[in-house]
Amino acid sequence: MAGEPRPGCSGKELSSILRCAIYTRKSTEEGLQQEFNTLDAQREAAEAYIRSQLHAGWITLAERYDDGGFTGANLERPALRKLLADIEAGKIDCVMVYKVDRLSRSLLDFARLMEVFERRKVSLVSITQPLNTTGSMGRLTLNILLSFAEFERQMIADRTRDKMAAARRKGKWVGGRPVLGYDVASAGGKLVVNVEEARQVQLIFALYLQHRSLGAVLAETQARRWTTKRWRTRDSKEHLGRSFTKPTLLRLLRNVVYLGRVSHEGAVYAGEQEAILEPAIWERVQEVLAKEQRCGVVVGSSASSKKNGKHRTSPTVVSEPTERVPRITRLLALAQKFEELIGSGVVNNYAALAQVGRVSRSRVTQMTSLLNLAPDIQEEILFLRVEEAAQFRISEPSLRKLTATLLWNQQREQWRNLRRPAIRSEQA
């Protein structure tokens, strides 16, 4: 009866109509110029299947979603982007494909697509395979596939960590934010000395040996308007340097990269980059740092305590002021730590992680959803200033729409839009 929900349907409770979109794909352009090509054949088979389900209220949408000459190894396809946009707009109840690999050849990408489908209550039907998520058996099959996708995701993470560890042991630079004194080689994969910055690093070490105080050197850097590394990414995005703080200054003075070495998990290896400091200078600085820390912890006296009728003054332990970090930065860093704990086998799943972290399972899911962001967006968040986060109103709730967006290009556009109102008000 019209208006009644159908058993095993996609969750549209108020309608008996199931709007079916047909997605077709072919990896090469060969044969697409023919009057009746493989995309047409895929669509014809899907239309016939939908006609066989007319009694259940299935109808074919007129919009065509055809990707001719696009690989299934990634999600950067125009028709697929249009399909996802229409799904988000609520125009589609079910997606029909000739075979699952027409939608994606990557199990991880398939899992990401299914997350979007599940969130929007959209079903998936493969005409030539036993996959129909409008029913319970199809959903069981889907859960099995997603389990394999999670396994593959963990295997990729393990291989990536092993590869990076092996590269570190060979002294290679494995990416990330370059440090003051070095640039990334134009061909990538190696650090090269930036002569002007290297001179600045040498002066910072010399100043510390002269003053033997982080505070004094910090005042010198601020007076000279020295900043941390200023660099440009491959896509020409510029990262401005920041004024030094005690934590950033301490990291610079302790960095073994200036000796032509690299560190990994507590071990130090010979690096490929050229050293810009003499070992004797670096070692003297480490000795003075250790001495300053030992002597500098006790810097005053606390309220006196009374014992045996006498007043005794106890030293006050003053910790180093920590560098202020936006809450969203801390959440992303924690999410990365969560993923690392699971990948290393310290915990087995997110439920165990929630118990360890003393938070709810749903909260862990919210935090780890930040890992769905494009790598360059994650990088910007990790280096976000407190003032920027406040000015742009960047928070975990404000990023939920981005984390739910599948395609990184669309995420980047939303990220720019998120920052644009604040940029305009700043210019005004």
Side-chain angles (χ1 to χ4, degrees), residues 5-206:
R6 297 183 310 281
C9 140
S10 67
K12 303 291 191 262
E13 298 182 355
L14 300 179
S15 174
S16 60
I17 300 299
L18 192 74
R19 299 165 297 174
C20 300
I22 301 172
Y23 177 78
T24 66
R25 184 185 65 79
K26 186 178 187 297
S27 297
T28 66
E29 296 183 355
E30 182 180 357
L32 292 181
Q33 68 279 5
Q34 297 175 3
E35 185 176 348
F36 186 82
N37 56 48
T38 183
L39 299 181
D40 296 321
Q42 292 177 41
R43 183 174 181 86
E44 185 177 81
E47 288 174 341
Y49 189 101
I50 294 170
R51 283 196 297 272
S52 71
Q53 301 296 318
L54 283 176
H55 63 281
W58 293 31
I59 62 170
T60 303
L61 294 176
E63 184 74 36
R64 293 185 68 107
Y65 304 94
D66 302 327
D67 275 322
F70 289 90
T71 178
N74 58 57
L75 301 178
E76 298 302 322
R77 291 168 257 158
L80 180 60
R81 286 199 294 269
K82 178 66 166 63
L83 176 73
L84 293 172
D86 287 348
I87 287 174
E88 293 290 353
K91 299 178 180 179
I92 297 170
D93 302 322
C94 180
V95 174
M96 310 287 299
V97 292
Y98 187 73
K99 293 173 62 178
V100 171
D101 67 1
R102 298 302 87 194
L103 191 62
S104 175
R105 288 188 178 275
S106 165
L107 195 54
L108 291 181
D109 284 344
F110 180 76
R112 295 175 65 197
L113 287 167
M114 288 303 98
E115 289 174 3
V116 175
F117 282 29
E118 287 291 305
R119 177 165 48 82
R120 302 301 301 180
K121 307 298 182 186
V122 172
S123 302
L124 173 67
V125 174
S126 173
I127 301 168
T128 60
Q129 296 164 317
L131 179 61
N132 182 342
T133 63
T134 62
S136 57
M137 184 57 68
R139 288 192 290 272
L140 174 62
T141 304
L142 176 61
N143 287 333
I144 293 173
L145 286 173
L146 296 181
S147 296
F148 277 105
E150 177 62 26
F151 174 73
E152 183 179 350
R153 184 182 292 112
Q154 292 183 6
M155 291 294 291
I156 290 174
D158 290 342
R159 288 195 296 268
T160 301
R161 278 191 295 271
D162 292 343
K163 182 179 179 181
M164 292 180 68
R168 279 290 190 182
R169 287 192 292 270
K170 293 180 180 179
K172 296 183 178 296
W173 184 74
V174 293
R177 189 184 186 114
V179 297
L180 189 71
Y182 292 95
D183 294 326
V184 181
S186 55
K190 186 177 180 180
L191 294 177
V192 293
V193 175
N194 179 312
V195 177
E196 183 178 348
E197 292 181 0
R199 177 58 179 162
Q200 184 177 322
V201 170
Q202 292 166 347
L203 285 172
I204 290 174
F205 273 77

Side-chain angles (χ1 to χ4, degrees), residues 297-354:
V297 170
V298 180
V299 296
S301 61
S302 67
S304 59
S305 61
K306 195 170 185 178
K307 184 176 183 181
N308 296 329
K310 296 182 179 180
H311 287 279
R312 300 181 61 187
T313 301
S314 301
T316 301
V317 178
V318 179
S319 60
E320 281 286 334
T322 56
E323 189 174 6
R324 294 177 64 212
V325 175
R327 176 175 172 78
I328 185 61
T329 299
R330 294 198 300 270
L331 289 176
L332 177 56
L334 189 56
Q336 293 178 345
K337 185 63 177 179
F338 282 174
E339 198 74 5
E340 180 183 333
L341 290 173
I342 291 179
S344 61
V346 176
V347 293
N348 296 325
N349 50 50
Y350 284 171
L353 197 57

